[in-house]
């Protein structure tokens, strides 16, 4: 079946603009995660959704970052007033539920470049 | 807080060489441990995992043993192939209320030459 998909695959934006990154999880997966992969920082957890709720937003680096999930499916990560330090690959993952009993399946990522 | 430290890369080996990538961790609870692999142009994939002390995870000829006494989960393969060239990430998810969250090491780039 289809895996986790993300769009766009690449995004170049000017500093100060807003961007939206989209994630389509595997059908039936109730848990969804966003991570960020940047040079020097490795992979960092951003936010976790169980259904449409986000019980853990602790990894969002600032209030310019927000995310939502609708219909227990698609999620959007929004970055407002982008800064150069936001340049990274943003990865989405999903799993059957939000415990470590189930594998997290990762999408191919969105590479964001802020100029 | 939880953390994962893995050996800095890049690692360059010849085909059929022995591979070890070291990984140590710090966790407050009783974590599950994972190795993920990212092949060029592809997304992260789970390679193997171990959920308790002394467990050995294995897949595709790779192995790692959960060593609680040394807080380590080193990745090994007896004979690497060119197709093993990828970035390898050690990760953990802690026990308790936030066991959904993966904490990753910074990754080790492996290049295998023919």
């Amino acid at each position: 079946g289809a895996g986790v998909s993300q769009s766009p695959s690449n995004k170049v934006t000017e500093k100060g603009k807003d961007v939206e990154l989209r994630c389509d999880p595997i059908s039936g997966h109730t848990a969804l995660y966003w991570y960020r992969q940047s040079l020097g920082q490795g992979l960092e957890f951003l936010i976790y959704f169980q259904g449409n709720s986000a019980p853990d937003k602790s990894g969002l680096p600032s209030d310019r970052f927000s995310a939502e999930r609708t219909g227990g499916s698609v999620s959007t990560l929004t970055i407002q007033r982008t800064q150069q330090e936001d340049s990274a690959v943003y990865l989405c993952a999903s799993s059957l539920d939000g415990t470590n009993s189930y594998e997290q399946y990762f999408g191919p990522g969105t590479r964001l470049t802020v100029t | 807080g939880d953390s994962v430290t893995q050996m800095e890369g890049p690692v360059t080996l010849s085909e059929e060489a022995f591979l070890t990538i070291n990984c140590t961790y710090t966790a407050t609870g009783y974590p599950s441990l994972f190795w993920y692999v990212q092949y060029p142009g592809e997304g992260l994939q789970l390679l193997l995992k171990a959920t308790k002390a002394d467990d050995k995870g294995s897949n595709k000829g790779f192995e790692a043993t959960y060593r609680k006494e040394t807080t380590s989960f080193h990745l090994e393969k007896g004979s690497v192939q060119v197709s093993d060239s990828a970035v390898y990430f050690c990760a953990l998810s802690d026990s308790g209320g936030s066991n959904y969250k993966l904490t990753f090491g910074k990754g080790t780039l492996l290049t295998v030459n023919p």
Side-chain angles (χ1 to χ4, degrees):
Chain A
V4 178
S5 60
Q6 295 185 244
S7 60
S9 55
N10 279 285
K11 176 73 176 178
V12 180
T13 190
E14 292 180 353
K15 178 182 172 181
K17 295 285 180 70
D18 297 352
V19 294
E20 284 189 355
L21 313 180
R22 178 186 167 107
C23 172
D24 284 85
I26 294 172
S27 177
H29 281 193
T30 65
L32 185 147
Y33 318 81
W34 285 96
Y35 294 86
R36 180 169 71 173
Q37 185 176 18
S38 54
L39 286 174
Q41 295 299 315
L43 271 154
E44 306 168 279
F45 167 83
L46 297 179
I47 188 169
Y48 156 60
F49 285 93
Q50 181 59 46
N52 292 334
S53 301
D56 188 347
K57 306 179 183 179
S58 63
L60 294 178
S62 76
D63 59 8
R64 295 186 296 104
F65 287 72
S66 63
E68 66 174 13
R69 188 178 185 196
T70 55
S73 181
V74 172
S75 176
T76 304
L77 178 68
T78 301
I79 310 173
Q80 296 179 308
R81 305 181 302 281
T82 52
Q83 303 295 312
Q84 289 186 331
E85 61 263 27
D86 300 334
S87 295
V89 177
Y90 289 83
L91 296 173
C92 176
S94 70
S95 63
L96 272 172
D97 76 9
T99 73
N100 59 13
S101 300
Y102 295 100
E103 179 179 348
Q104 293 187 23
Y105 292 85
F106 283 79
T110 294
R111 181 175 297 278
L112 174 67
T113 304
V114 182
T115 61
Chain B
D2 297 342
S3 67
V4 175
T5 302
Q6 62 183 103
M7 63 187 286
E8 297 281 333
V11 174
T12 303
L13 296 173
S14 298
E15 207 164 23
E16 299 184 4
F18 185 86
L19 168 71
T20 300
I21 301 178
N22 289 337
C23 172
T24 57
Y25 67 90
T26 302
T28 53
Y30 302 94
S32 294
L33 302 174
F34 307 84
W35 277 99
Y36 277 81
V37 59
Q38 189 173 33
Y39 297 104
E42 298 185 16
L44 274 171
Q45 303 172 24
L46 179 64
L47 180 60
L48 53 84
K49 72 175 185 181
T51 58
K52 61 183 188 297
D54 300 324
D55 269 2
K56 177 185 284 188
S58 61
N59 187 24
K60 300 183 180 181
F62 290 88
E63 293 183 339
T65 301
Y66 188 144
R67 301 285 188 201
K68 186 178 178 184
E69 63 275 15
T70 54
T71 62
S72 64
F73 193 55
H74 304 321
L75 182 68
E76 296 182 336
K77 186 174 186 181
S79 176
V80 292
Q81 305 300 311
V82 172
S83 57
D84 294 328
S85 298
V87 181
Y88 292 82
F89 293 90
C90 186
L92 69 80
S93 66
D94 212 341
S95 56
S98 58
N99 63 355
Y100 48 82
K101 182 190 304 187
L102 288 169
T103 299
F104 287 90
K106 292 192 175 181
T108 302
L109 173 63
L110 170 66
T111 302
V112 180
N113 294 318

